[in-house]
Amino acid sequence: MTFNRNYFDIGRLDRLAYGRTWVHRLDPRSKVVATLLYLLTVVSLPKYEVAALTPFFLFPVLLAALAGIPARFILRKMLIVSPFAIVIGIANPLLDTRTAVVIAGTPLSGGLLSFFSILLKFALTVGTTLLLIATTSFPGVCHAFRRLGVPSLFVSQLMFLYRYLFVLMEEAMRIVRAREMRSFGARGAEIRVYVRLVGTLFLRTVDRAERIYDAMLSRGFQGDIPTLGRSRMAAADLLFVATTVGFLGLFRFVPVTEGIGRLAQGVLG
Amino acid sequence: MHMADALLSPAVGTTLWAGTAAITGFASHRLKKQIDDRTIPLMGVLGAFIFASQMINFTIPGTGSSGHLGGGMILAVLLGPHAAFLVMASVLTVQALFFADGGLLALGCNVWNLGVYPCYLVYPFLYKPLAGGGKSPGRVLTASVVSAAVALQLGAFSVVLETLLSGKSELPFEAFLLLMQPIHLVIGIVEGFVTAGVINYVRTARPEILASMAASRPLGRDVQLRKVLATFAVLAVVTGGVLSWFASTHPDGLEWSIQRVTGSDSLPEAGQGIVSVLKRFQEKTAVLPDYSFAPAGNEAQKAEESPAWPMVDGGTSAAGIVGAAVVLGMVLLVGLGIRSFRGRNS
Amino acid sequence: MSHHIVEFKDVHFRYPDGTEALRGVNFRITHGESVGIVGANGAGKSTLLMHINGCLLPTAGTVTIGDFALTAKTRREVRKKVGVVFQNPDDQLFMPTVFDDVAFGPLNLGMDDAAVRERVDQALALVNGRQLKDKPPHHLSAGQKSSIAIAAVMAMGPDILAMDEPAASLDPRSRRLLIALLNTFNHSKIVASHDLDLILDVCQRCIVIGGGTVVADGPAREILTNAALLEANNLELPLTLQGRS
Amino acid sequence: MSHHIVEFKDVHFRYPDGTEALRGVNFRITHGESVGIVGANGAGKSTLLMHINGCLLPTAGTVTIGDFALTAKTRREVRKKVGVVFQNPDDQLFMPTVFDDVAFGPLNLGMDDAAVRERVDQALALVNGRQLKDKPPHHLSAGQKSSIAIAAVMAMGPDILAMDEPAASLDPRSRRLLIALLNTFNHSKIVASHDLDLILDVCQRCIVIGGGTVVADGPAREILTNAALLEANNLELPLTLQGRS
Ligand SMILES: Nc1ncnc2c1ncn2[C@@H]1O[C@H](COP(=O)(O)OP(=O)(O)OP(=O)(O)O)[C@@H](O)[C@H]1O
Ligand SMILES: Nc1ncnc2c1ncn2[C@@H]1O[C@H](COP(=O)(O)OP(=O)(O)OP(=O)(O)O)[C@@H](O)[C@H]1O
Ligand SMILES: [Mg+2]
Ligand SMILES: [Mg+2]
């Protein structure tokens, strides 16, 4: 059943992508470029940086809020993402125990700081990537890739993969269901049966590819997947990218958090 | 074992991005000339198949845990290296985008680890010789198990290197290696068995499919193989060069770990870091501040000449924490505000 | 004896992507009844059928089969009693030959080889499919696949039979045979279909599903002649009742 | 002008596994005719349809479409004239959004962007599907998928339309809409189906296929009321003609 969950989750993510807010309507290229710049900037922050990472939450939070993406859904998806980074990062506090900073009399080790840093980066990168799909749609991202110069053969793969992902996953789910129904938990999950199931799925996939190819030929396919000239980058897109760059530059190179902290301390104190 | 954005440094990420982008271009170019256009939908649908097949699981005998099909190896066998590589790259792209598994920056690493090795290294040099014509189920089994295991070992090893070179993790090299390699040996062997099973099943059920696929993939002919190899070698050298340059200028990753494991116990109380005025300036202007102009020399020296990070000063740090809390609060408020505004309007 | 009872009590089901496919379904089918489930595309018929043997479990409400409330724990037992034939026969034939496929269920029930062979033989005879025994399923025509999928379920000797759109790709003779087959099966049966004539031939009772709830429930003859009700649910009079000018 | 003629002359076809699916098929369909193809499961209907635009090429005999004998060389030309909708709409909607899918054909015909947009718009309007433009196909219902598959073919402006079992999973209302849609298309059309009532509603002529050859060929009304002929081919009277006691 865990797989079903996974599957339905991407179904939901996919559905969100067909929303109609102005974030959704931005040119996919501008969102792809902005996201990549964002990721690079976040990742470029030094190992022990914690406080300076916090302003970067503004970007995903703004995007999610403006595009009407339910925050809880994105958060839940973040939890089921492979925890590799966290598993690796959790070793840091154990290994790097040198005191790096003393705050209000409490010594904090370098490992602890770098672990927090990894956690924050994890949240920022994963959340923003999910938001890219949730606001752009997968076909949108593909079109953006193509127009940003990614080889068209590769992009065609991606589009077919996306289109048939849902079809084949449902097929696989129905196969699993059929097996479950007639196996009573007793047998039916051995490698031998498994290999046949996957083999069958494979054969049917190949047959399906054949039928798809026939359908493509029937509609004049000549070896290249044609595309229509899509939307042009509008003023809104340029503005969006420019704002993003400004935002990234500001938070990357100016210690904003610290300043705000001082200010707050000043006000309080 | 997808490499993750959060563990990555921009240098490692972009280097591998460049490497895999080059290979993607190369593979597309090659394929465009070779394939009959029937292969285009086939590749796409097989990518979806890799996902779908992962929804079906089996119980690993004697353990009660369950496994499923990997991807790179079986694709290489069925489609040949170029097509398999592109499909694998698509699969990983979808994982990065839809599941945020790995992430966009780490995509380069992941395509390298899970696509380049099985398709361009293991398949031509290990699988093909071992499997022979692929007619004998026994040889296919041996070849698949060995290939899948080796491919995954290479992949796992690369994850270790990439992580350590990125310098975000404190895990010592050897410990990390010990953590990664054995697990992936087991996974690789299981994957090999399954791969062989499926290939042999397909061969008995519909021999014509494997035959027709083989027909549309001329990589077996060695002229091209040599070119592939040359390209691969060049890329490997470039990547290796960049990585090792990077490693040598960035001591807080690999070297430090090794040093730590080899037991120079006189570890400094304070961390290494970026301190000098020049370096602070650097940090504020360069995109990759950690990596350029890093003073050569080993950890101990550095620690001696530099005060603790980041200029331990209760005030500053406390200000950092307070600031972080305030910033997060403001961000949250902004989000909630927009949401309730939208809610009222719709 | 409550053995072959199927009871839905306020069953709700939401697909994890948010689609509310069932919104409070209530009915009770007693032993020996034959019930047709009809409704528009997307009304929730298939979703409902998948609840009958626990392929899906309700998000709220309860499904009771015989003596068991259907839960993740009891569904294994329940599946021995309930045979379900789903909409797409392709997905149900997963073994390399027709014989292997029909034998899969009986083998998993732990029968010995001879008994399995006999079961398979009987089940194939039931759908006129003996000559297809050694064929691989992917080389069958659409209608042949449907027949085999039915045989595979019948081979397990179910007490309750549920079928989703069983006649969609059958030729008229095979459809007629299926109707006859269903009429000889005298335990409870539940058939979801757009083929209202088939429902009229096979079922005494008919449930109309619309928007995830039961819109109407009554004698098939009555429901399927109620033009206004049918119209409102994207249906129309069974063709045999429409006649032709 | 022989433009929209479809002619099969002694067409044989054997699948690679040895199954002889067609064994000498002969017929000629002239411009503007609407022809139903009926027959038992496995009779060879789908196989026949795949010959009409050269997805399969005869092992022996010739298929002529308009002025061309269909060969590996001419089939590209032929495909511009012949639109085929196969049995499974999922296999025909292969692009990631409805718009892209419908635009695929016109783009391949080399039209410019504005013309393509217009074509797509018209084709979608034809099937009442304009509002689905930006949806991905996997968010469509079965009936919607069928409609879009038809729109995608219609967007190429075919002179001849061939469809394999177009109504199989549609609810009665969607089926009725499809019948109306087919009746507005006034070039040649060929429909293979087990739904004899649909054939009767849409086609003037009917060809019965049995065992890979043409068993009967004549006016639909005549063929589909010939009980003995139908019986011999696993068929039966259309349900609307059967009435009910
Ligand atoms: N896997 C799924 N994920 C999300 N929503 C689904 C899924 N399967 C079905 N649905 C939705 O649930 C609702 C009920 O679907 P269901 O398949 O039960 O309808 P149905 O009555 O069987 O229709 P049909 O006559 O076309 O077979 C529909 O709105 C459908 O879009
Ligand atoms: N790919 C294939 N390989 C081998 N034999 C096939 C293949 N497809 C169909 N056949 C066989 O060819 C014959 C004709 O099949 P076809 O699919 O044309 O029948 P059909 O009239 O469309 O049947 P249905 O009404 O069930 O769709 C059948 O005997 C079938 O088993
Ligand atoms: Mg259904
Ligand atoms: Mg057919």
Side-chain angles (χ1 to χ4, degrees):
Chain A
M1 278 293 157
T2 51
F3 285 111
N4 287 8
R5 246 228 105 85
N6 244 334
Y7 160 70
F8 287 123
D9 264 345
I10 70 169
R12 172 124 189 249
L13 191 59
D14 190 50
R15 248 165 231 278
L16 289 174
Y18 295 91
R20 300 218 150 263
T21 66
W22 70 265
V23 180
H24 285 90
R25 280 198 302 269
L26 283 173
D27 189 292
R29 275 173 296 173
S30 58
K31 282 180 275 184
V32 168
V33 169
T35 304
L36 281 174
L37 288 177
Y38 174 84
L39 293 177
L40 259 180
T41 314
V42 166
V43 164
S44 78
L45 278 155
K47 183 178 183 176
Y48 295 109
E49 199 60 78
V50 176
L53 278 167
T54 52
F56 286 89
F57 276 104
L58 192 57
F59 184 71
V61 167
L62 269 179
L63 269 188
L66 290 172
I69 308 293
R72 198 183 306 161
F73 172 68
I74 296 291
L75 288 175
R76 200 171 44 113
K77 270 216 73 127
M78 277 163 57
L79 288 182
I80 57 174
V81 163
S82 140
F84 180 72
I86 295 171
V87 169
I88 296 305
I90 213 161
N92 285 5
L94 305 175
L95 293 170
D96 179 2
T97 49
R98 297 157 297 159
T99 302
V101 61
V102 181
I103 293 176
T106 324
L108 291 179
S109 72
L112 210 55
L113 287 179
S114 62
F115 177 53
F116 277 136
S117 178
I118 287 176
L119 278 183
L120 285 181
K121 283 177 183 163
F122 179 81
L124 292 170
T125 54
V126 169
T128 306
T129 309
L130 289 172
L131 279 174
L132 174 64
I133 282 298
T135 60
T136 312
S137 86
F138 197 81
V141 174
C142 287
H143 283 297
F145 279 176
R146 193 198 295 269
R147 301 192 72 194
L148 291 170
V150 176
S152 68
L153 191 67
F154 179 69
V155 177
S156 302
Q157 291 323 294
L158 272 183
M159 296 220 214
F160 276 111
L161 174 45
Y162 166 77
R163 169 64 186 96
Y164 287 98
L165 185 61
F166 297 90
V167 176
L168 291 192
M169 278 184 147
E170 263 184 34
E171 204 165 295
M173 216 157 66
R174 289 193 298 251
I175 290 181
V176 169
R177 206 175 271 152
R179 170 181 72 175
E180 247 172 48
M181 241 173 56
R182 293 197 267 149
S183 55
F184 318 106
R187 284 189 250 170
E190 317 100 314
I191 287 204
R192 228 165 36 88
V193 173
Y194 167 82
V195 161
R196 287 168 171 190
L197 290 187
V198 173
T200 306
L201 185 65
F202 173 79
L203 294 179
R204 279 169 46 192
T205 305
V206 172
D207 283 343
R208 183 187 288 279
E210 201 68 11
R211 292 195 301 268
I212 294 167
Y213 181 65
D214 282 341
M216 291 167 72
L217 289 179
S218 304
R219 290 203 265 143
F221 177 62
Q222 320 197 342
D224 265 318
I225 305 220
T227 42
L228 209 57
R230 292 266 148 174
S231 55
R232 229 157 267 172
M233 293 279 259
D237 296 302
L238 297 178
L239 190 67
F240 173 70
V241 175
T243 315
T244 309
V245 169
F247 162 88
L248 294 176
L250 174 70
F251 292 139
R252 175 65 183 84
F253 300 118
V254 181
V256 178
T257 318
E258 222 176 271
I260 292 180
R262 287 238 176 75
L263 211 66
Q265 280 177 324
V267 172
L268 293 176
Chain B
M1 71 145 190
H2 289 12
M3 185 65 193
D5 277 356
L7 291 178
L8 211 57
S9 69
V12 174
T14 47
T15 308
L16 280 148
W17 248 76
T20 48
I23 300 185
T24 306
F26 163 77
S28 309
H29 179 70
R30 258 281 109 79
L31 214 52
K32 248 206 148 108
K33 283 204 242 157
Q34 289 175 2
I35 55 169
D36 104 49
D37 48 19
R38 180 176 294 270
T39 314
I40 295 177
L42 178 64
M43 286 165 63
V45 183
L46 281 184
F49 161 78
I50 292 296
F51 277 102
S53 73
Q54 305 199 337
M55 301 180 64
I56 308 175
N57 57 354
F58 59 90
T59 38
I60 297 169
T63 62
S65 63
S66 67
H68 51 72
L69 196 63
M73 249 357 268
I74 197 166
L75 286 172
V77 175
L78 294 169
L79 290 171
H82 303 309
F85 173 77
L86 287 185
V87 175
M88 205 55 208
S90 321
V91 167
L92 291 165
T93 306
V94 169
Q95 280 185 333
L97 286 171
F98 253 129
F99 299 98
D101 206 357
L104 266 184
L105 283 185
L107 187 57
C109 299
N110 288 319
V111 172
W112 185 272
N113 303 346
L114 297 170
V116 173
Y117 291 136
C119 299
Y120 285 118
L121 208 58
V122 175
Y123 172 72
F125 300 112
L126 208 56
Y127 183 86
K128 289 205 83 174
L130 282 177
K135 295 273 186 314
S136 134
R139 287 188 71 174
V140 168
L141 180 65
T142 321
S144 303
V145 172
V146 172
S147 305
V150 170
L152 264 188
Q153 286 298 295
L154 287 171
F157 185 65
S158 302
V159 170
V160 173
L161 280 188
E162 286 151 6
T163 308
L164 293 187
L165 289 176
S166 290
K168 303 281 196 281
S169 162
E170 302 287 346
L171 269 179
F173 178 68
E174 284 174 7
F176 198 178
L177 217 54
L178 271 173
L179 194 71
M180 292 287 284
Q181 304 300 119
I183 297 176
H184 286 95
L185 186 64
V186 177
I187 298 177
I189 290 172
V190 172
E191 191 191 328
F193 270 102
V194 175
T195 303
V198 174
I199 291 170
N200 284 329
Y201 174 79
V202 171
R203 168 159 288 103
T204 41
R206 307 268 298 274
E208 79 276 5
I209 285 183
L210 283 179
S212 79
M213 286 186 171
S216 63
R217 86 178 124 97
L219 186 107
R221 277 171 239 147
D222 284 350
V223 192
Q224 267 139 355
L225 198 63
R226 214 174 299 146
K227 279 193 195 160
V228 171
L229 189 59
T231 318
F232 181 78
V234 169
L235 280 170
V237 168
V238 169
T239 314
V242 172
L243 287 185
S244 53
W245 158 78
F246 163 66
S248 66
T249 54
H250 190 251
D252 65 13
L254 196 56
E255 280 175 36
W256 184 81
S257 316
I258 292 171
Q259 187 187 353
R260 174 139 206 184
V261 171
T262 51
S264 59
D265 248 31
S266 56
L267 277 168
E269 255 308 293
Q272 77 282 21
I274 306 143
V275 183
S276 68
V277 179
L278 176 73
K279 291 222 65 184
R280 279 192 76 83
F281 179 67
Q282 250 296 312
E283 187 192 348
K284 288 186 171 135
T285 49
V287 184
L288 315 177
D290 266 344
Y291 313 116
S292 34
F293 303 109
N298 67 25
E299 186 49 40
Q301 280 173 345
K302 239 178 87 186
E304 273 158 24
E305 67 196 33
S306 53
W309 178 95
M311 302 197 292
V312 175
D313 155 6
T316 316
S317 307
I321 298 287
V322 173
V326 173
V327 166
L328 282 179
M330 289 197 307
V331 168
L332 200 65
L333 277 180
V334 168
L336 290 176
I338 293 178
R339 212 172 72 166
S340 73
F341 179 74
R342 282 177 49 90
R344 234 177 295 130
N345 275 24
S346 60
Chain C
M1 157 178 121
S2 64
H3 255 44
H4 307 154
I5 279 180
V6 177
E7 183 164 27
F8 276 56
K9 268 200 197 132
D10 199 32
V11 171
H12 286 252
F13 183 79
R14 174 185 307 172
Y15 282 104
D17 76 346
T19 314
E20 293 227 41
L22 300 183
R23 312 167 189 240
V25 171
N26 285 292
F27 61 80
R28 179 187 166 90
I29 296 174
T30 53
H31 184 197
E33 270 195 296
S34 55
V35 180
I37 312 259
V38 300
N41 283 131
K45 301 181 297 299
S46 301
T47 309
L48 190 155
L49 253 67
M50 288 200 272
H51 280 77
I52 291 182
N53 72 343
C55 279
L56 297 177
L57 293 174
T59 0
T62 54
V63 176
T64 314
I65 308 289
D67 307 315
F68 299 102
L70 198 51
T71 63
K73 274 186 198 136
T74 59
R75 65 179 160 188
R76 186 168 295 176
E77 275 314 299
V78 165
R79 281 179 183 153
K80 292 185 182 167
K81 298 202 185 313
V82 185
V84 181
V85 181
F86 292 119
Q87 211 163 354
N88 190 343
D90 250 331
D91 302 317
Q92 293 165 70
L93 307 177
F94 46 78
M95 298 294 279
T97 70
V98 167
F99 178 87
D100 286 333
D101 207 279
V102 180
F104 186 85
L107 277 173
N108 281 329
L109 285 176
M111 296 186 185
D112 64 44
D113 279 15
V116 168
R117 268 173 219 289
E118 205 186 301
R119 273 281 179 102
V120 173
D121 201 57
Q122 282 171 358
L124 285 176
L126 220 50
V127 298
N128 258 332
R130 267 202 187 128
Q131 75 289 356
L132 299 174
K133 209 175 63 157
D134 298 317
K135 275 217 156 198
H138 48 264
H139 280 173
L140 302 178
S141 81
Q144 291 165 336
K145 282 180 195 160
S146 288
S147 307
I148 302 304
I150 293 168
V153 166
M154 295 305 270
M156 305 199 304
D159 292 333
I160 297 168
L161 186 61
M163 296 190 155
D164 196 353
E165 206 62 78
S169 49
L170 297 183
D171 62 33
R173 153 97 48 89
S174 311
R175 173 175 170 280
R176 200 51 75 185
L177 283 173
L178 176 71
I179 290 175
L181 168 66
L182 286 175
N183 281 330
T184 59
F185 181 83
N186 47 24
H187 300 297
S188 313
K189 53 185 172 270
I190 303 169
V191 182
S193 182
H194 294 305
D195 183 345
L196 305 184
D197 298 277
L198 177 137
I199 301 278
L200 206 50
D201 284 339
V202 170
C203 304
Q204 287 117 41
R205 180 175 158 197
C206 181
I207 296 178
V208 183
I209 301 283
T213 56
V214 173
V215 177
D217 183 347
R221 191 88 207 186
E222 222 163 81
I223 299 268
L224 295 177
T225 51
N226 183 341
L229 171 67
L230 293 173
E231 174 85 22
N233 285 285
N234 269 17
L235 304 171
E236 54 182 36
L237 281 181
L239 295 171
T240 45
L241 295 179
Q242 285 185 20
R244 181 172 283 270
S245 48
Chain D
M1 143 176 137
S2 64
H3 256 44
H4 308 154
I5 280 179
V6 177
E7 183 164 28
F8 276 56
K9 267 200 195 131
D10 198 31
V11 171
H12 287 253
F13 183 78
R14 174 184 305 170
Y15 279 103
D17 74 347
T19 313
E20 293 227 44
L22 300 182
R23 312 168 191 240
V25 172
N26 285 292
F27 62 80
R28 179 187 166 91
I29 295 174
T30 54
H31 184 198
E33 272 195 295
S34 56
V35 181
I37 311 260
V38 301
N41 285 133
K45 301 181 295 299
S46 301
T47 311
L48 190 154
L49 251 66
M50 290 208 267
H51 280 76
I52 291 183
N53 73 343
C55 282
L56 297 176
L57 291 173
T59 358
T62 55
V63 176
T64 313
I65 308 289
D67 306 315
F68 298 101
L70 197 51
T71 63
K73 274 185 198 137
T74 59
R75 62 180 161 187
R76 185 165 291 179
E77 274 314 299
V78 165
R79 283 178 180 146
K80 293 184 183 167
K81 301 205 181 313
V82 185
V84 182
V85 181
F86 295 114
Q87 223 160 343
N88 187 346
D90 257 328
D91 296 335
Q92 291 162 76
L93 305 177
F94 43 77
M95 296 293 280
T97 69
V98 167
F99 179 86
D100 283 329
D101 207 276
V102 180
F104 184 88
L107 280 171
N108 277 326
L109 289 177
M111 295 185 186
D112 65 44
D113 281 14
V116 168
R117 276 175 209 286
E118 203 186 305
R119 272 283 178 101
V120 172
D121 200 59
Q122 282 170 358
L124 286 175
L126 209 59
V127 299
N128 263 329
R130 267 205 189 123
Q131 75 290 356
L132 302 175
K133 208 176 66 153
D134 296 317
K135 289 212 167 188
H138 54 266
H139 287 177
L140 304 179
S141 74
Q144 290 171 333
K145 279 185 198 162
S146 290
S147 310
I148 301 301
I150 293 170
V153 167
M154 298 297 253
M156 306 195 32
D159 294 329
I160 299 165
L161 183 63
M163 302 188 117
D164 196 355
E165 205 65 80
S169 52
L170 301 185
D171 63 31
R173 155 101 44 94
S174 313
R175 173 177 169 279
R176 201 50 77 187
L177 288 174
L178 177 73
I179 290 176
L181 171 65
L182 287 178
N183 280 330
T184 60
F185 181 79
N186 47 24
H187 298 298
S188 313
K189 54 182 173 269
I190 303 171
V191 181
S193 181
H194 294 305
D195 184 342
L196 304 185
D197 297 277
L198 177 137
I199 300 276
L200 207 50
D201 283 338
V202 170
C203 304
Q204 286 117 45
R205 179 175 158 196
C206 181
I207 296 178
V208 183
I209 301 283
T213 56
V214 174
V215 177
D217 183 347
R221 191 86 205 189
E222 224 164 78
I223 299 269
L224 295 176
T225 51
N226 182 341
L229 171 68
L230 293 173
E231 173 84 23
N233 284 285
N234 271 15
L235 305 171
E236 55 183 33
L237 282 181
L239 295 171
T240 44
L241 296 179
Q242 284 184 21
R244 179 171 289 267
S245 49

